[in-house]
Amino acid sequence: MANRASAPEKRPGFFSQIRSLFKFTREIYPWLPWAQIAILVAGVLVGLIAGYVIPPFQIWTLVLWGISGLMLGILGAMFLMTRLSTSAMYQKIDGMPGATGHVLSTSLGRNWQASETPVGINPKTQDAVYRTVGRGGVVVVGEGSRGRLTRLVNDERSKAERVAHGVPVTVLYVGHGDDDVTIADLAKTIKKLPKAIDKATMGAVIRRIDSVSQSLSSLPIPKGIDPTKVRSQRPR
């Protein structure tokens, strides 16, 4: 009997994605629906006032202005939900293994290259080290206990300095200590680093570092997380 070809996975539609994003954000911000309703009402009122004040005053123009205000309110409500969803994601993944990899691989833009897979990890404690290379040089990011990360971070920094001589190497630790960077500010902090190399040098540095990196495929490495499916935080 011939094997049946597996049916292609159906991607969620636009409204399904909006609904999922709304539910996800509302878990952190329960007042979101009321804020969105207020924005919609305010948009309609602004449209009606504009239709009443701006001549000529006619019923059909008032209706059109009201519809325009409603559309403006919808845009405002969507903008609010999008901004809050980002904040909600950071709150949910804060402290979870793999959160750093998720942020580095999705939030840095085209001027930086990173993977959600750590370049060094302690399999017992899941303390991990990540690396990203961009116009600001090489950034080594530690996720976990700073004391347990010392050797892993130093090894990765030494390797980067050895193969990318002259390129600045910055070390960051994700956490809530005095010298740590919170997960919400990680991408912002990296993007603020001054540009030190051009794109050609950046590509050369990436190739050099990758050529000396050892394969970690046999280790139980957390490959990032799906922020819409996170559960309660795991204490370190």
Side-chain angles (χ1 to χ4, degrees), residues 9 12 23 27 55 62 71-72 87 91 94 115 136 170 173 183 208-209:
E9 183 179 356
K23 292 180 179 179
E27 292 180 4
L62 190 64
M71 298 302 295
L72 181 64
S87 177
Q91 291 188 43
D94 189 14
S115 171
T170 304
Y173 289 90
I183 193 69
R208 292 174 189 171
I209 293 179

Side-chain angles (χ1 to χ4, degrees), residues 39-41 43-45 47 65-76:
I39 292 175
L40 290 175
V41 173
V44 173
L45 289 177
W65 275 106
I67 295 175
S68 299
L70 176 62
M71 298 302 295
L72 181 64
I74 292 175
L75 290 176

Side-chain angles (χ1 to χ4, degrees), residues 161-179:
E161 292 174 343
R162 184 172 64 254
V163 301
H165 181 70
V167 176
V169 179
T170 304
V171 175
L172 301 175
Y173 289 90
V174 174
H176 296 278
D178 294 336
D179 297 326

Side-chain angles (χ1 to χ4, degrees), residues 135-147:
R135 300 292 299 276
V138 180
V139 179
V140 178
V141 184
E143 177 188 76
S145 171
R146 184 185 285 255

Side-chain angles (χ1 to χ4, degrees), residues 33-73:
W34 302 108
Q36 290 182 306
I37 292 174
I39 292 175
L40 290 175
V41 173
V44 173
L45 289 177
V46 169
L48 292 177
I49 293 174
Y52 181 79
V53 173
I54 300 176
F57 174 74
Q58 295 180 358
I59 297 299
W60 67 272
T61 58
L62 190 64
V63 172
L64 290 178
W65 275 106
I67 295 175
S68 299
L70 176 62
M71 298 302 295
L72 181 64

